[in-house]
Amino acid sequence: MGLFFWNRQSKRVEAFAMELASDFFGQVSPEALAGFFQDERLDQKTRKRIDAQMQNLVLRLSQFKQLHKLGVYGKAKFHQVFIGRLEELGYDAEAIRKLNTLLMLKTP
């Protein structure tokens, strides 16, 4: 029974990671995120919008982790799928790494 439960949980984690990455893509373009982390001169409005979207990611991920009580493997699966989806969407590898690090540090 434990294996069956993990398979269901794993699919739920994968679906959430894909949804979160796709929602983020709808709000923040790959170029804007790369510029945000590379300290390019972004206007204040764009910088605030990207920061707000990153805080939204942190909030949604925190709520999901608490609701579903993800363990080490669940958290690892989330980050693996999230990174993969962002790569598919065309985000810069360095920007993905920094965003993922931020998510790991801000969510327990």
Side-chain angles (χ1 to χ4, degrees):
M1 173 143 161
L3 185 58
F4 176 72
F5 175 73
W6 168 246
N7 191 25
R8 261 192 350 201
Q9 180 79 350
S10 179
K11 288 182 181 183
R12 183 180 300 140
V13 169
E14 288 177 18
F16 179 72
M18 297 286 276
E19 175 188 337
L20 204 59
S22 296
D23 289 351
F24 187 73
F25 177 72
Q27 299 296 323
V28 179
S29 70
E31 297 80 21
L33 186 65
F36 181 84
F37 285 123
Q38 294 174 354
D39 282 338
E40 286 183 7
R41 295 208 173 253
L42 289 176
D43 61 352
Q44 193 71 5
K45 185 177 178 181
T46 303
R47 188 165 287 283
K48 282 185 179 182
R49 185 177 55 81
I50 293 171
D51 190 46
Q53 289 304 316
M54 289 192 305
Q55 294 305 318
N56 184 33
L57 281 178
V58 169
L59 178 64
R60 289 177 64 188
L61 181 55
S62 293
Q63 291 172 344
F64 185 81
K65 285 181 177 180
Q66 285 179 338
L67 180 65
H68 297 289
K69 305 211 183 321
L70 297 183
V72 173
Y73 294 111
K75 291 174 186 177
K77 185 67 171 177
F78 168 83
H79 289 286
Q80 179 186 23
V81 173
F82 185 74
I83 288 170
R85 181 64 180 149
L86 290 178
E87 287 174 348
E88 289 174 5
L89 294 170
Y91 285 91
D92 179 54
E94 184 65 21
I96 293 171
R97 185 186 63 75
K98 288 180 180 180
L99 178 62
N100 193 47
T101 301
L102 174 93
L103 286 175
M104 286 190 290
L105 292 176
K106 298 267 185 176
T107 57

